[in-house]
Amino acid sequence: MGPRFVGIDGDHEVLTWIPGSVVDDWSPRPDLLDQLVAAVRQLHDATADLAPGHECLIHDDLQPRNVVVDGTRVGVVDWEQLRPGRRVEDVAQLCWSFAAGPADREVLAVGDRWRRIVDRYGLAERNEVVAVASAKIDRCVDDIVRGSALGSARHHRLRARGDHEDLRRLGSWIDANRHDLSALLA
């Protein structure tokens, strides 16, 4: 699923390299998405006892640029936001990051892909996915805008690229189709 810990070099962790490339459009590869969902479930199950007061540890930044594909294998990278949380947070982000691309916002198709993710994961809180997705998108937009205003080079790049506006449009689309998406997940 992800890199293995090798050791410490000063203040930095050293991890193994994961070969592969980033895939922007996951819709023609449901097999890879199923594998990613299974890997996220394994992370959550393996860390359930490591997060007292929380369900598990969550990646909290699952998006296509943080997943590499090497043939038929997926690997998750960029673990700096790993934190205690709820399973539904990562599952909701899988839904909006991997199954609601800007080119395809037909609610039935998106809802079917979201349901596939939720079903493959076996998520009990499926009725919360839409609300959690919308809230996470709002937090991401706020983080980009606030971080850019505070001088963060990374957030400035994201804002200059228009990521916050893309996320706002996606959030608006999800909010406008909240009822239908929720019904498709029920």
Side-chain angles (χ1 to χ4, degrees):
M1 173 180 168
R4 288 184 315 279
F5 176 76
V6 174
I8 301 289
D9 181 15
D11 292 335
H12 303 283
E13 291 182 358
V14 178
L15 306 173
T16 56
W17 172 257
I18 297 179
S21 58
V22 171
V23 175
D24 291 324
D25 183 8
W26 285 69
S27 57
R29 295 297 307 269
D31 57 318
L32 290 177
L33 188 55
D34 289 349
Q35 190 181 140
L36 175 59
V37 171
V40 170
R41 176 66 191 248
Q42 288 174 344
L43 164 71
H44 293 166
D45 290 346
T47 62
D49 295 334
L50 301 177
H54 299 277
E55 288 181 351
C56 58
L57 296 178
I58 64 171
H59 185 276
D60 201 36
D61 197 16
L62 293 167
Q63 54 185 309
R65 70 174 171 234
N66 289 337
V67 177
V68 293
V69 175
D70 183 18
T72 59
R73 299 180 318 160
V74 298
V76 179
V77 299
D78 192 5
W79 292 87
E80 68 186 37
Q81 289 183 214
L82 183 75
R83 67 174 178 81
R86 298 176 58 219
R87 295 167 183 262
V88 67
E89 294 176 80
D90 272 350
V91 174
Q93 189 165 11
L94 284 172
C95 289
W96 63 262
S97 289
F98 291 87
D104 178 18
R105 296 255 176 84
E106 198 281 311
V107 73
L108 184 58
V110 171
D112 284 345
R113 289 193 301 266
W114 284 30
R115 187 176 54 249
R116 181 184 179 108
I117 290 169
V118 170
D119 288 348
R120 293 291 190 272
Y121 184 91
L123 186 71
E125 301 88 356
R126 62 191 316 123
N127 61 324
E128 296 182 48
V129 170
V130 176
V132 171
S134 184
K136 173 68 176 183
I137 290 170
D138 289 345
R139 281 194 309 277
C140 288
V141 170
D142 291 345
D143 286 348
I144 292 169
V145 172
R146 188 177 347 94
S148 178
L150 293 173
S152 163
R154 181 174 70 91
H155 289 98
H156 182 71
R157 279 192 308 276
L158 294 172
R159 188 169 185 172
R161 201 168 57 193
D163 285 16
H164 65 301
E165 292 300 333
D166 291 342
L167 286 168
R168 275 191 185 127
R169 283 189 288 280
L170 176 58
S172 294
W173 183 87
I174 290 170
D175 288 342
N177 292 285
R178 175 180 303 270
H179 178 74
D180 291 335
L181 289 169
S182 294
L184 289 166
L185 289 173

